[in-house]
Amino acid sequence: MRVDSIKNGIVIDHITCGKAMQIYDMLNLDKLDCTVAILKNVSSNKMGKKDIIKIDCDIEINFDVLGFISPNITVCIVRDGKVAEKKHIDLPEQLTDILHCKNPRCITSTEQDIHHIFRLTDRENGIYRCIYCDTKA
Amino acid sequence: MKNLIDILDLSTSEIEQLIDTANDIIDNPDNYRKKCRYKKLATLFFEPSTRTRLSFEAAMMELGGNVLGFSEANSSSSAKGESVSDTIAVVGGYADIIAMRHPKEGAPLVASMKSDVPIINAGDGGHNHPTQTLTDLLTIKREMGHLDNLTVGLCGDLKFGRTVHSLIAALSRYSGIKFVLISPKELELPSYVKDAHIKANGIPCEQTTSLDDAMEKLDILYMTRVQRERFFNEEDYLRLKDSYILTPEKLKNAKENMIVMHPLPRVNEISTAVDSDKRASYFRQAKYGKYIRMALILKLLEVE
Ligand SMILES: [Zn+2]
């Protein structure tokens, strides 16, 4: 299987080992027609083991999802076989419509047409809280 | 500032300003009787709270304004009603400012996102109740003369008591504060409140199950209700409830200038025999609630 010869696409690198499938699901990559490769347990000098996802087409990605699932991800945008852009993804300040609040007393449980928003309240421990009720994500 | 949703929306200097205005209103009520002429306050109470609603309405009336609004008979009926966004879209066209109480946490924040007129959170479920906290701060300022360098005892249900959580958040920003947390094990202050405010600000804090042991250290004793329904069994409730009832006997060890506060309504956690003690501040506290709400309405309506 050739997975390293992307022409125009995206490489999501340095994914915490075991998190690749979760990213695959949250980015809805199953909806894509192009080639998508998931590499698991790849040896890495920096991390010991890591996961990688390679997507062989140019799509818009929600970087907040990536940062939330696995901080310290690197995203490479590949154009004409070369890395055109490299982005280091950190924990996002805010998550909009990515998570839903689990608190049944939260207004998000009844109000229609409302954005579900979580804010990073503790970067060190990666803790997000619902902006409406302060419940932990 | 356009809305008041959470007490921490206000800086300490904004709180100071509100307290100054409230003090001026108390001293010179005549100067304020026409400040809000032709203005309307809507009190939208999706959950009943007669005291809070009356306090808001009295505040607006004393400023020469008018009030309109509704109060749902029980909190469940609002669940079937229209959305918060729709209600606000309609009422925003009738009123200049809105005080809203809602059983769902975060409802006033949603309202503030949709509204063109200022929104005041008058209590959202067990979450926030910032005008109660402002009331508490005005009370402390008037009764003690300052908001810093105080040993504050919080007694009763510290687990579910949102007034306690907000007061801790607000007081944690002042220097020289010490907290003494007095509660049964079952109703201890949640660790996230401790972490976010007490630990984060390096505030000295003691935890005890005995009101008697704590009494002599306190400058302020903030009492809350220990509710029967918070306990898993009747036996625990009966065993514990009496140890958190304030009586003249228990007050014997207290400082002469200590004050006793309570968000009211009380059930039996403060014996009525305490009412005549000069340290009992809770009825004055309720009255201060009106004045601080007047100050808040003036600020949000930007009335000079
Ligand atoms: Zn929530």
Side-chain angles (χ1 to χ4, degrees), chain B residues 29-93:
Chain B
D30 285 345
N31 294 350
Y32 290 87
R33 294 226 161 99
K34 291 177 181 168
K35 288 276 187 195
C36 288
R37 237 173 135 189
Y38 309 124
K39 301 269 188 199
K40 283 171 291 190
L41 165 77
T43 50
L44 310 186
F45 278 52
F46 293 86
E47 166 183 84
S49 172
T50 311
R51 266 154 234 272
T52 305
R53 188 167 55 87
L54 293 181
S55 177
F56 271 108
E57 294 183 355
M60 192 56 168
M61 287 173 185
E62 281 202 35
L63 292 167
N66 293 300
V67 294
L68 65 162
F70 61 81
S71 181
E72 301 271 353
N74 58 66
S75 52
S76 64
S77 58
S78 65
K80 300 174 218 131
E82 69 181 346
S83 69
V84 170
S85 304
D86 284 3
T87 309
I88 291 303
V90 173
V91 178

Side-chain angles (χ1 to χ4, degrees), chain A residues 100-103 105-109 116-118 129-135, chain B residues 105:
Chain A
H100 278 226
C101 185
K102 291 187 196 80
N103 174 8
R105 297 176 310 278
C106 180
I107 187 65
T108 55
S109 68
H116 291 244
I117 302 172
F118 284 77
R129 288 185 185 275
C130 172
I131 64 159
Y132 303 100
C133 71
D134 293 308
T135 297
Chain B
E105 300 173 12

Side-chain angles (χ1 to χ4, degrees), chain B residues 1-2 17-18 20-26 28-29 31-37 39 41 56 59-60 62-65 96-97 118 120 290-304:
Chain B
M1 180 181 73
K2 191 177 160 274
Q17 266 177 37
L18 288 172
D20 287 348
T21 306
N23 280 328
D24 194 55
I25 295 170
I26 294 170
N28 308 291
N31 294 350
Y32 290 87
R33 294 226 161 99
K34 291 177 181 168
K35 288 276 187 195
C36 288
R37 237 173 135 189
K39 301 269 188 199
L41 165 77
F56 271 108
M60 192 56 168
E62 281 202 35
L63 292 167
D96 300 288
I97 184 166
I120 301 171
K290 179 185 70 182
Y291 295 112
I292 201 74
R293 288 181 175 96
M294 290 170 76
L296 179 65
I297 290 168
L298 289 172
K299 184 177 168 80
L300 292 176
L301 286 177
E302 295 173 351
V303 176
E304 288 302 312

